[in-house]
Amino acid sequence: MKKDIQIPEVTDVEMAIAYEYNDIYKTNDWNVYIINNKNVDLEMMVVVTQGFSETKITSLFRKKLDKLPANSFAKIEFIQPELFKLNNRFQVTFFEGNTLYEKTFLFKENTIKEGALRMIDSIKKRGILAE
């Protein structure tokens, strides 16, 4: 039975952390984005976030998106710089048509920093893409 289970590979979906100016609070903030570079809508998307190290673990954060349109992106959450010293894992599941997909994105500890920023064309912001 296990040999009959096919887990499709996720392509053209990315996770980014962008460093951007917040007009409301007049601060520079770090925000997490999910990016859909596919030409089809993604539905029933769930993102589960957790920071961890050998000695610490954060509580789980869950975010649901009913629909992420084709060639678009959505802000998932604000992330505090104190969490950058941890590994930050984002587990994403979604439907594309009638097929369920899953992918885990990881930002390794101490890799989220201003010196690593680059322009991410799909969101038109400076940021870092997950592995």
Side-chain angles (χ1 to χ4, degrees):
M1 298 263 285
K2 283 187 178 180
K3 65 179 176 62
D4 296 329
I5 298 172
Q6 294 183 8
I7 301 172
E9 181 182 351
V10 174
T11 58
D12 298 324
V13 175
E14 297 177 298
M15 183 72 60
I17 295 182
Y19 190 58
E20 57 193 328
Y21 187 72
N22 183 324
D23 289 326
I24 296 170
Y25 297 108
K26 310 290 187 224
T27 59
N28 289 309
D29 293 341
W30 294 90
N31 293 300
V32 180
Y33 288 86
I34 185 80
I35 304 166
N36 178 8
N37 291 319
K38 294 178 176 284
N39 292 321
V40 295
D41 297 346
L42 305 179
E43 298 177 334
M44 295 298 298
M45 180 175 282
V46 176
V47 180
V48 179
T49 306
Q50 188 168 46
F52 65 95
S53 70
E54 290 182 12
T55 58
K56 292 184 180 182
I57 191 165
T58 67
S59 56
L60 288 174
F61 173 81
R62 293 174 184 87
K63 174 76 173 186
K64 176 183 164 264
L65 299 172
D66 290 325
K67 183 176 174 182
L68 184 59
N71 299 303
S72 70
F73 60 91
K75 187 186 293 186
I76 299 297
E77 66 180 39
F78 163 79
I79 187 168
Q80 297 175 331
E82 294 79 22
L83 297 173
F84 298 166
K85 61 186 172 191
L86 302 175
N87 294 300
N88 288 279
R89 177 177 48 223
F90 295 83
Q91 295 172 294
V92 179
T93 55
F94 60 89
F95 279 95
E96 181 182 330
N98 290 325
T99 305
L100 179 66
Y101 289 83
E102 178 182 44
K103 183 166 184 174
T104 299
F105 296 93
L106 181 67
F107 292 94
K108 290 185 178 175
E109 61 186 60
N110 300 314
T111 59
I112 304 167
K113 51 190 167 191
E114 286 187 55
L117 295 174
R118 65 177 184 86
M119 183 55 78
I120 301 172
D121 293 333
S122 51
I123 62 175
K124 296 186 178 29
K125 298 177 186 300
R126 292 178 346 134
I128 301 160
L129 291 172
E131 295 180 1

